[in-house]
Coordinates of all heavy atoms in Angstrom, one line a residue:
M708 N -5.3 -12.3 -5.5 CA -6.2 -11.7 -4.6 C -7.0 -10.5 -5.3 O -6.3 -9.8 -6.0 CB -5.4 -11.1 -3.4 CG -6.2 -10.4 -2.3 SD -5.2 -9.8 -0.9 CE -4.6 -11.3 -0.2
D709 N -8.3 -10.5 -5.2 CA -9.0 -9.4 -5.8 C -8.9 -8.1 -5.0 O -8.5 -8.2 -3.8 CB -10.4 -9.8 -6.1 CG -11.3 -10.0 -4.9 OD1 -11.2 -9.3 -3.9 OD2 -12.1 -11.0 -4.9
P710 N -9.3 -7.0 -5.6 CA -9.1 -5.7 -4.9 C -9.9 -5.7 -3.5 O -9.4 -5.1 -2.5 CB -9.7 -4.7 -5.9 CG -9.4 -5.3 -7.2 CD -9.6 -6.8 -7.0
E711 N -11.1 -6.2 -3.5 CA -11.9 -6.2 -2.3 C -11.2 -7.0 -1.1 O -11.1 -6.5 0.0 CB -13.3 -6.7 -2.5 CG -14.2 -6.6 -1.3 CD -15.6 -7.0 -1.6 OE1 -16.1 -6.9 -2.8 OE2 -16.3 -7.6 -0.7
E712 N -10.7 -8.1 -1.5 CA -10.0 -9.0 -0.5 C -8.7 -8.3 0.0 O -8.4 -8.3 1.1 CB -9.7 -10.3 -1.1 CG -9.1 -11.3 -0.2 CD -8.8 -12.7 -0.8 OE1 -8.8 -12.8 -2.1 OE2 -8.5 -13.6 -0.1
F713 N -8.0 -7.7 -1.0 CA -6.8 -6.9 -0.6 C -7.1 -5.8 0.4 O -6.4 -5.7 1.4 CB -6.1 -6.4 -1.9 CG -5.0 -5.5 -1.7 CD1 -3.7 -6.0 -1.4 CD2 -5.1 -4.1 -1.7 CE1 -2.6 -5.2 -1.2 CE2 -4.0 -3.2 -1.5 CZ -2.8 -3.8 -1.2
I714 N -8.1 -5.0 0.1 CA -8.4 -3.9 0.9 C -8.8 -4.4 2.3 O -8.4 -3.9 3.3 CB -9.6 -3.0 0.3 CG1 -9.0 -2.3 -0.9 CG2 -10.2 -2.1 1.3 CD1 -10.1 -1.6 -1.7
T715 N -9.6 -5.4 2.4 CA -10.1 -6.0 3.7 C -8.9 -6.5 4.4 O -8.7 -6.3 5.7 CB -11.1 -7.1 3.4 OG1 -12.2 -6.6 2.8 CG2 -11.5 -7.8 4.7
F716 N -8.0 -7.2 3.8 CA -6.8 -7.8 4.4 C -5.9 -6.7 5.0 O -5.4 -6.7 6.1 CB -6.0 -8.7 3.5 CG -4.7 -9.2 4.1 CD1 -4.7 -10.2 5.0 CD2 -3.5 -8.6 3.7 CE1 -3.6 -10.6 5.6 CE2 -2.3 -9.1 4.3 CZ -2.3 -10.1 5.2
I717 N -5.6 -5.7 4.2 CA -4.7 -4.6 4.6 C -5.3 -3.8 5.7 O -4.6 -3.4 6.7 CB -4.3 -3.7 3.4 CG1 -3.5 -4.5 2.3 CG2 -3.5 -2.5 3.8 CD1 -2.2 -5.1 2.8
K718 N -6.6 -3.5 5.6 CA -7.2 -2.7 6.7 C -7.2 -3.5 8.0 O -6.9 -2.9 9.0 CB -8.7 -2.4 6.3 CG -8.9 -1.3 5.3 CD -10.3 -1.1 4.8 CE -11.3 -1.1 5.8 NZ -12.7 -0.9 5.3
S719 N -7.4 -4.8 7.9 CA -7.3 -5.6 9.1 C -5.9 -5.7 9.7 O -5.7 -5.5 10.9 CB -7.9 -7.0 8.8 OG -7.7 -7.9 9.9
F720 N -4.9 -6.0 8.8 CA -3.6 -6.1 9.2 C -3.0 -4.8 9.9 O -2.3 -4.9 10.9 CB -2.7 -6.5 8.0 CG -1.2 -6.7 8.4 CD1 -0.9 -8.0 8.9 CD2 -0.3 -5.8 8.2 CE1 0.4 -8.2 9.3 CE2 1.0 -6.0 8.6 CZ 1.4 -7.2 9.1
F721 N -3.3 -3.7 9.4 CA -2.8 -2.4 9.9 C -3.9 -1.7 10.8 O -3.6 -0.6 11.3 CB -2.5 -1.5 8.8 CG -1.2 -1.9 8.1 CD1 -1.2 -2.5 6.9 CD2 0.1 -1.6 8.6 CE1 -0.1 -2.9 6.2 CE2 1.2 -2.0 8.0 CZ 1.2 -2.6 6.8
A722 N -5.0 -2.4 11.1 CA -6.0 -1.9 12.0 C -6.5 -0.5 11.6 O -6.5 0.4 12.3 CB -5.5 -1.8 13.5
L723 N -6.9 -0.4 10.3 CA -7.4 0.8 9.7 C -8.9 0.7 9.5 O -9.4 -0.3 9.1 CB -6.7 1.0 8.4 CG -5.2 1.1 8.4 CD1 -4.7 1.1 6.9 CD2 -4.7 2.3 9.1
A724 N -9.5 1.9 9.6 CA -11.0 2.0 9.3 C -11.1 2.2 7.8 O -12.1 1.8 7.2 CB -11.6 3.1 10.1
V725 N -10.2 2.9 7.2 CA -10.2 3.3 5.8 C -8.9 3.0 5.2 O -7.8 3.2 5.8 CB -10.6 4.8 5.7 CG1 -10.6 5.2 4.2 CG2 -12.0 5.0 6.3
L726 N -8.8 2.6 3.9 CA -7.6 2.4 3.2 C -7.6 3.3 2.0 O -8.2 3.0 1.0 CB -7.3 1.0 2.8 CG -6.0 0.7 2.0 CD1 -4.8 1.0 2.9 CD2 -6.0 -0.7 1.5
P727 N -6.9 4.5 2.1 CA -6.8 5.3 0.9 C -5.9 4.7 -0.2 O -4.9 4.1 0.2 CB -6.2 6.6 1.4 CG -6.3 6.6 2.9 CD -6.3 5.1 3.3
V728 N -6.4 4.8 -1.4 CA -5.6 4.2 -2.5 C -5.5 5.3 -3.6 O -6.5 5.9 -4.0 CB -6.3 3.0 -3.1 CG1 -5.5 2.5 -4.4 CG2 -6.4 1.9 -2.1
A729 N -4.2 5.6 -4.0 CA -4.0 6.5 -5.1 C -3.8 5.6 -6.4 O -3.0 4.7 -6.3 CB -2.8 7.3 -4.9
G730 N -4.5 5.9 -7.4 CA -4.4 5.1 -8.6 C -5.5 4.0 -8.6 O -6.4 4.1 -7.8
T731 N -5.4 3.0 -9.4 CA -6.4 2.0 -9.5 C -5.8 0.6 -9.2 O -4.8 0.3 -9.7 CB -7.0 1.9 -11.0 OG1 -7.5 3.2 -11.3 CG2 -8.1 0.9 -11.1
L732 N -6.5 -0.1 -8.3 CA -6.0 -1.4 -7.9 C -6.2 -2.3 -9.1 O -7.2 -2.3 -9.8 CB -6.8 -1.9 -6.7 CG -6.5 -1.3 -5.4 CD1 -7.5 -1.7 -4.3 CD2 -5.1 -1.7 -4.9
P733 N -5.2 -3.2 -9.4 CA -5.4 -4.2 -10.4 C -6.5 -5.2 -10.1 O -6.9 -5.3 -8.9 CB -4.0 -4.9 -10.4 CG -3.1 -4.1 -9.6 CD -3.9 -3.3 -8.7
K734 N -7.0 -5.8 -11.1 CA -8.1 -6.8 -10.9 C -7.7 -8.0 -10.1 O -8.4 -8.6 -9.4 CB -8.7 -7.2 -12.2 CG -9.5 -6.1 -12.9 CD -10.1 -6.5 -14.2 CE -10.8 -5.3 -14.8 NZ -11.4 -5.7 -16.1
A735 N -6.4 -8.4 -10.3 CA -5.8 -9.5 -9.5 C -4.5 -9.0 -9.0 O -3.6 -8.7 -9.8 CB -5.6 -10.7 -10.4
I736 N -4.4 -9.0 -7.7 CA -3.1 -8.5 -7.0 C -2.3 -9.7 -6.6 O -2.8 -10.5 -5.8 CB -3.5 -7.6 -5.8 CG1 -4.3 -6.4 -6.3 CG2 -2.2 -7.1 -5.1 CD1 -5.0 -5.7 -5.2
E737 N -1.1 -9.8 -7.2 CA -0.3 -10.9 -6.9 C 1.1 -10.5 -6.2 O 1.7 -11.3 -5.6 CB 0.0 -11.7 -8.2 CG -1.2 -12.3 -8.8 CD -1.0 -12.9 -10.1 OE1 0.2 -13.0 -10.6 OE2 -2.0 -13.4 -10.8
R738 N 1.5 -9.3 -6.4 CA 2.8 -8.9 -5.9 C 2.7 -7.4 -5.4 O 2.3 -6.5 -6.2 CB 3.8 -9.0 -7.0 CG 5.2 -8.9 -6.4 CD 6.2 -9.3 -7.5 NE 7.5 -9.6 -6.8 CZ 8.5 -10.1 -7.4 NH1 8.4 -10.5 -8.6 NH2 9.6 -10.3 -6.7
V739 N 3.1 -7.2 -4.2 CA 3.1 -5.8 -3.6 C 4.5 -5.5 -3.1 O 5.3 -6.4 -2.8 CB 2.1 -5.6 -2.5 CG1 0.7 -5.9 -3.0 CG2 2.4 -6.5 -1.3
A740 N 4.8 -4.2 -2.9 CA 6.0 -3.8 -2.3 C 5.6 -3.0 -1.1 O 4.5 -2.4 -1.0 CB 6.8 -2.9 -3.2
F741 N 6.4 -2.9 0.0 CA 6.1 -2.2 1.2 C 7.3 -1.4 1.6 O 8.4 -1.8 1.6 CB 5.8 -3.2 2.3 CG 5.6 -2.6 3.6 CD1 4.4 -2.0 3.9 CD2 6.6 -2.5 4.6 CE1 4.2 -1.3 5.2 CE2 6.4 -1.9 5.8 CZ 5.2 -1.3 6.1
C742 N 7.0 -0.1 2.0 CA 8.0 0.8 2.5 C 7.3 1.6 3.7 O 6.3 2.2 3.5 CB 8.5 1.7 1.5 SG 9.8 2.9 2.2
S743 N 7.9 1.4 4.9 CA 7.4 2.2 6.0 C 7.6 3.7 5.8 O 8.5 4.0 5.1 CB 7.9 1.7 7.3 OG 9.3 1.9 7.3
G744 N 6.9 4.5 6.5 CA 7.1 5.9 6.4 C 6.6 6.5 5.0 O 5.6 6.0 4.4
A745 N 7.4 7.4 4.5 CA 7.0 8.1 3.2 C 7.8 7.4 2.1 O 9.0 7.7 1.9 CB 7.3 9.6 3.3
G746 N 7.2 6.4 1.4 CA 8.0 5.6 0.5 C 7.6 5.8 -1.0 O 8.0 5.0 -1.8
L747 N 7.0 6.9 -1.3 CA 6.5 7.1 -2.7 C 7.7 7.1 -3.6 O 7.6 6.7 -4.8 CB 5.7 8.4 -2.8 CG 5.0 8.6 -4.1 CD1 4.1 7.4 -4.5 CD2 4.2 9.9 -4.1
S748 N 8.8 7.6 -3.2 CA 10.0 7.7 -4.1 C 10.5 6.3 -4.6 O 11.2 6.2 -5.5 CB 11.2 8.4 -3.4 OG 11.6 7.7 -2.3
L749 N 10.0 5.3 -3.9 CA 10.4 3.9 -4.3 C 9.5 3.3 -5.3 O 9.7 2.1 -5.7 CB 10.5 3.0 -3.0 CG 11.6 3.5 -2.0 CD1 11.6 2.6 -0.8 CD2 13.0 3.4 -2.7
L750 N 8.4 4.0 -5.7 CA 7.4 3.4 -6.6 C 8.1 3.0 -7.9 O 7.8 1.9 -8.4 CB 6.3 4.4 -6.9 CG 5.2 3.9 -7.8 CD1 4.5 2.6 -7.3 CD2 4.2 5.0 -8.0
P751 N 9.0 3.7 -8.5 CA 9.6 3.2 -9.8 C 10.4 1.9 -9.6 O 10.2 1.0 -10.4 CB 10.5 4.4 -10.2 CG 9.9 5.6 -9.6 CD 9.4 5.1 -8.2
A752 N 11.1 1.8 -8.5 CA 11.9 0.6 -8.2 C 10.9 -0.6 -7.9 O 11.1 -1.7 -8.4 CB 12.8 0.8 -7.0
A753 N 9.9 -0.3 -7.2 CA 8.9 -1.3 -6.9 C 8.2 -1.8 -8.2 O 8.0 -3.0 -8.3 CB 7.8 -0.8 -5.9
S754 N 7.9 -0.9 -9.0 CA 7.3 -1.3 -10.3 C 8.3 -2.1 -11.2 O 7.9 -3.1 -11.7 CB 6.9 0.0 -11.1 OG 5.8 0.6 -10.4
R755 N 9.5 -1.7 -11.2 CA 10.5 -2.5 -11.9 C 10.7 -3.9 -11.4 O 11.0 -4.9 -12.1 CB 11.9 -1.8 -11.9 CG 11.9 -0.6 -12.9 CD 13.4 -0.1 -13.1 NE 14.0 0.3 -11.8 CZ 13.9 1.4 -11.2 NH1 13.2 2.4 -11.8 NH2 14.6 1.7 -10.1
A756 N 10.5 -4.0 -10.1 CA 10.6 -5.3 -9.4 C 9.3 -6.2 -9.6 O 9.3 -7.3 -9.1 CB 10.9 -5.2 -7.9
G757 N 8.3 -5.6 -10.2 CA 7.1 -6.4 -10.5 C 6.0 -6.2 -9.6 O 4.9 -6.8 -9.7
A758 N 6.1 -5.2 -8.6 CA 5.0 -4.9 -7.7 C 3.9 -4.2 -8.4 O 4.1 -3.3 -9.2 CB 5.5 -4.1 -6.5
Q759 N 2.7 -4.7 -8.1 CA 1.5 -4.0 -8.7 C 1.0 -2.9 -7.9 O 0.3 -2.0 -8.4 CB 0.4 -5.1 -8.9 CG 0.8 -6.2 -9.9 CD -0.1 -7.3 -9.7 OE1 0.0 -8.1 -8.7 NE2 -1.0 -7.5 -10.7
V760 N 1.3 -3.0 -6.6 CA 0.8 -2.0 -5.6 C 2.0 -1.7 -4.6 O 2.7 -2.7 -4.2 CB -0.4 -2.5 -4.8 CG1 -0.8 -1.5 -3.8 CG2 -1.5 -2.9 -5.7
L761 N 2.2 -0.5 -4.3 CA 3.1 -0.1 -3.3 C 2.3 0.3 -2.0 O 1.4 1.1 -2.1 CB 4.0 1.1 -3.7 CG 4.9 1.8 -2.6 CD1 5.9 0.8 -2.1 CD2 5.5 3.1 -3.1
I762 N 2.6 -0.3 -0.9 CA 2.0 0.0 0.3 C 3.0 0.8 1.1 O 4.1 0.4 1.3 CB 1.7 -1.3 1.2 CG1 0.8 -2.2 0.4 CG2 1.1 -0.9 2.5 CD1 0.7 -3.6 1.0
T763 N 2.6 2.0 1.5 CA 3.4 2.9 2.2 C 2.6 3.7 3.2 O 1.4 3.7 3.2 CB 4.3 3.8 1.3 OG1 5.3 4.5 2.0 CG2 3.4 4.8 0.6
G764 N 3.3 4.5 4.1 CA 2.7 5.2 5.2 C 2.3 6.6 4.9 O 1.5 7.2 5.7
D765 N 2.9 7.3 3.9 CA 2.7 8.7 3.8 C 2.9 9.1 2.4 O 3.9 8.8 1.8 CB 3.7 9.4 4.7 CG 3.3 10.9 5.0 OD1 2.2 11.3 4.6 OD2 4.1 11.6 5.6
V766 N 1.9 9.8 1.8 CA 2.0 10.3 0.4 C 1.4 11.7 0.4 O 0.4 12.0 1.0 CB 1.2 9.4 -0.5 CG1 1.2 9.9 -1.9 CG2 1.7 8.0 -0.5
T767 N 2.1 12.6 -0.3 CA 1.6 14.0 -0.4 C 0.5 14.0 -1.4 O 0.3 13.1 -2.2 CB 2.7 14.9 -0.9 OG1 3.1 14.6 -2.2 CG2 3.9 14.9 0.0
Y768 N -0.3 15.1 -1.3 CA -1.4 15.2 -2.3 C -0.9 15.2 -3.7 O -1.5 14.5 -4.5 CB -2.1 16.6 -2.0 CG -3.1 16.9 -3.1 CD1 -4.4 16.4 -3.1 CD2 -2.8 17.8 -4.1 CE1 -5.3 16.7 -4.1 CE2 -3.7 18.1 -5.1 CZ -4.9 17.5 -5.1 OH -5.8 17.8 -6.1
H769 N 0.1 15.9 -4.0 CA 0.6 16.0 -5.4 C 1.3 14.6 -5.8 O 1.2 14.2 -6.9 CB 1.6 17.1 -5.6 CG 0.9 18.4 -5.6 ND1 0.8 19.3 -4.5 CD2 0.1 19.1 -6.5 CE1 0.1 20.3 -4.8 NE2 -0.3 20.2 -6.0
G770 N 1.9 13.9 -4.8 CA 2.4 12.6 -5.1 C 1.3 11.7 -5.5 O 1.4 10.9 -6.4
A771 N 0.2 11.7 -4.7 CA -1.0 10.8 -5.0 C -1.6 11.2 -6.4 O -1.9 10.3 -7.2 CB -2.0 11.0 -4.0
L772 N -1.6 12.5 -6.7 CA -2.1 12.9 -8.0 C -1.2 12.4 -9.1 O -1.7 11.9 -10.1 CB -2.2 14.4 -8.0 CG -2.9 15.1 -9.2 CD1 -4.4 14.6 -9.2 CD2 -2.8 16.6 -9.1
D773 N 0.1 12.5 -8.9 CA 1.0 12.0 -10.0 C 0.8 10.5 -10.2 O 0.9 10.0 -11.3 CB 2.5 12.2 -9.5 CG 2.8 13.7 -9.6 OD1 2.1 14.5 -10.3 OD2 3.9 14.1 -9.0
V774 N 0.7 9.7 -9.1 CA 0.5 8.3 -9.2 C -0.8 8.0 -10.0 O -0.9 7.2 -10.9 CB 0.4 7.6 -7.8 CG1 -0.1 6.2 -7.9 CG2 1.8 7.7 -7.1
S775 N -1.9 8.7 -9.6 CA -3.2 8.5 -10.3 C -3.1 8.8 -11.7 O -3.7 8.0 -12.5 CB -4.3 9.4 -9.6 OG -4.5 9.0 -8.3
Q776 N -2.4 9.8 -12.1 CA -2.3 10.2 -13.5 C -1.3 9.3 -14.3 O -1.3 9.2 -15.5 CB -2.0 11.6 -13.6 CG -3.1 12.5 -13.2 CD -2.8 14.0 -13.2 OE1 -1.6 14.4 -13.3 NE2 -3.8 14.8 -13.1
G777 N -0.3 8.7 -13.5 CA 0.7 8.0 -14.2 C 0.5 6.5 -14.3 O 1.3 5.8 -14.8
G778 N -0.6 6.0 -13.8 CA -1.0 4.6 -14.0 C -0.5 3.7 -12.8 O -0.6 2.5 -12.9
G779 N 0.2 4.2 -11.8 CA 0.6 3.4 -10.7 C -0.5 3.2 -9.7 O -1.6 3.6 -9.9
C780 N -0.1 2.5 -8.6 CA -1.1 2.3 -7.5 C -0.4 2.2 -6.2 O 0.6 1.5 -6.0 CB -1.8 1.0 -7.8 SG -3.2 0.7 -6.6
V781 N -0.9 3.1 -5.3 CA -0.3 3.1 -3.9 C -1.4 3.0 -2.9 O -2.4 3.8 -3.0 CB 0.5 4.5 -3.7 CG1 1.1 4.6 -2.3 CG2 1.7 4.6 -4.7
A782 N -1.2 2.1 -1.9 CA -2.1 2.0 -0.8 C -1.4 2.7 0.4 O -0.3 2.5 0.7 CB -2.4 0.5 -0.5
I783 N -2.2 3.6 1.0 CA -1.6 4.5 2.1 C -2.1 4.0 3.4 O -3.3 4.2 3.7 CB -2.0 6.0 1.8 CG1 -1.6 6.3 0.4 CG2 -1.3 6.9 2.8 CD1 -2.3 7.5 -0.2
V784 N -1.2 3.5 4.2 CA -1.6 2.9 5.5 C -1.4 3.7 6.7 O -1.5 3.2 7.9 CB -1.0 1.5 5.7 CG1 -1.4 0.5 4.6 CG2 0.6 1.6 5.7
E785 N -1.1 5.0 6.6 CA -0.8 5.9 7.7 C 0.7 5.7 8.1 O 1.2 4.6 8.2 CB -1.7 5.8 8.8 CG -3.1 6.0 8.5 CD -4.1 5.9 9.7 OE1 -3.6 5.4 10.7 OE2 -5.3 6.1 9.5
H786 N 1.4 6.8 8.4 CA 2.8 6.8 8.7 C 3.0 5.9 10.0 O 3.9 5.1 10.0 CB 3.2 8.2 8.9 CG 4.7 8.4 8.9 ND1 5.4 8.8 7.8 CD2 5.7 8.2 9.8 CE1 6.7 8.9 8.0 NE2 6.9 8.5 9.2
Y787 N 2.3 6.2 11.0 CA 2.5 5.4 12.3 C 2.3 3.9 12.1 O 3.0 3.1 12.5 CB 1.6 6.0 13.4 CG 1.7 5.1 14.7 CD1 2.8 5.3 15.5 CD2 0.7 4.2 15.0 CE1 2.9 4.5 16.7 CE2 0.8 3.4 16.1 CZ 1.9 3.6 16.9 OH 2.0 2.8 18.1
S788 N 1.2 3.6 11.4 CA 0.9 2.2 11.2 C 1.9 1.5 10.4 O 2.2 0.3 10.7 CB -0.5 2.0 10.5 OG -1.5 2.5 11.3
S789 N 2.5 2.1 9.4 CA 3.5 1.5 8.6 C 4.8 1.2 9.4 O 5.5 0.2 9.2 CB 3.9 2.3 7.4 OG 4.6 3.5 7.7
G790 N 5.1 2.1 10.4 CA 6.3 1.8 11.2 C 6.1 0.7 12.2 O 7.0 0.1 12.6
C791 N 4.9 0.5 12.7 CA 4.6 -0.5 13.7 C 4.9 -1.9 13.1 O 5.1 -2.9 13.8 CB 3.1 -0.5 14.1 SG 2.7 0.9 15.2
F792 N 4.8 -2.0 11.8 CA 5.1 -3.3 11.1 C 6.4 -3.9 11.6 O 6.6 -5.1 11.8 CB 5.1 -3.1 9.6 CG 5.4 -4.4 8.8 CD1 4.3 -5.2 8.6 CD2 6.6 -4.7 8.4 CE1 4.5 -6.4 7.9 CE2 6.8 -5.8 7.6 CZ 5.8 -6.7 7.4
F793 N 7.4 -3.0 11.8 CA 8.8 -3.5 12.2 C 9.0 -3.6 13.7 O 10.0 -4.1 14.2 CB 9.8 -2.6 11.6 CG 9.8 -2.7 10.1 CD1 9.3 -1.7 9.3 CD2 10.4 -3.7 9.5 CE1 9.2 -1.7 8.0 CE2 10.4 -3.9 8.1 CZ 9.8 -2.8 7.3
G794 N 8.0 -3.1 14.5 CA 8.2 -3.1 15.9 C 7.6 -4.2 16.6 O 7.4 -4.3 17.8
G795 N 7.1 -5.3 15.9 CA 6.5 -6.4 16.5 C 5.0 -6.2 16.9 O 4.4 -7.0 17.5
G796 N 4.5 -5.0 16.5 CA 3.2 -4.7 16.9 C 2.1 -5.2 16.0 O 0.9 -5.1 16.3
R797 N 2.5 -6.0 15.0 CA 1.5 -6.5 14.1 C 1.5 -8.0 14.0 O 1.2 -8.6 13.0 CB 1.7 -5.9 12.7 CG 1.4 -4.4 12.6 CD 0.0 -4.1 12.9 NE -0.2 -2.7 12.8 CZ -1.1 -2.0 13.5 NH1 -1.8 -2.6 14.4 NH2 -1.2 -0.7 13.4
G798 N 2.0 -8.7 15.0 CA 1.9 -10.1 15.1 C 2.9 -10.9 14.2 O 2.6 -12.0 13.7
G799 N 4.0 -10.3 13.9 CA 5.1 -11.1 13.3 C 5.1 -10.9 11.7 O 5.8 -11.7 11.1
G800 N 4.3 -10.1 11.2 CA 4.5 -9.9 9.7 C 3.3 -10.4 8.9 O 2.5 -11.1 9.4
V801 N 3.4 -10.2 7.6 CA 2.4 -10.6 6.7 C 2.6 -12.1 6.4 O 3.7 -12.5 6.0 CB 2.4 -9.8 5.4 CG1 1.4 -10.3 4.4 CG2 2.1 -8.3 5.8
G802 N 1.6 -12.9 6.4 CA 1.8 -14.3 6.2 C 1.3 -14.8 4.8 O 1.3 -15.9 4.5
R803 N 0.8 -13.8 4.0 CA 0.3 -14.2 2.7 C 1.2 -13.8 1.6 O 1.8 -12.8 1.6 CB -1.0 -13.6 2.5 CG -2.0 -14.3 3.4 CD -3.4 -13.7 3.2 NE -3.9 -14.3 2.0 CZ -5.2 -14.1 1.6 NH1 -5.9 -13.3 2.3 NH2 -5.6 -14.6 0.5

């Protein structure tokens, strides 16, 4: 999936007007990790597992800065939106 398609899909899935991204999205996104709430501490494990992007709900300013400078990539879907994923509010999960 290219970055534009990824952004469109994630914005639609989480009902977001804007998708903040810390770091640079890869040219081809094949594997992502997801953590509801504030999941930035899981970025190293997600990277080791092969995730190119971590999708999470909450990232501090300095956390985003660290990701941007460290070569990672985090898509920030808002804290509330990330929790709705598990409550059945998003139609049963991601199908792709």
Side-chain angles (χ1 to χ4, degrees):
M708 177 179 299
D709 67 39
E711 185 176 328
E712 185 179 14
F713 174 79
I714 289 169
T715 300
F716 176 75
I717 297 300
K718 283 172 51 179
S719 174
F720 184 80
F721 288 100
L723 302 171
V725 176
L726 179 65
V728 174
T731 303
L732 288 168
K734 291 181 182 178
I736 301 163
E737 298 176 3
R738 191 169 198 172
V739 301
F741 174 80
C742 180
S743 63
L747 188 58
S748 64
L749 297 176
L750 182 59
S754 295
R755 284 192 303 274
Q759 299 164 285
V760 180
L761 172 64
I762 302 168
T763 192
D765 199 6
V766 175
T767 65
Y768 170 82
H769 288 100
L772 190 61
D773 289 346
V774 169
S775 294
Q776 293 176 344
C780 186
V781 176
I783 307 159
V784 296
E785 300 177 354
H786 198 98
Y787 174 78
S788 295
S789 72
C791 287
F792 181 82
F793 295 103
R797 297 292 181 214
V801 176
R803 290 180 79 174

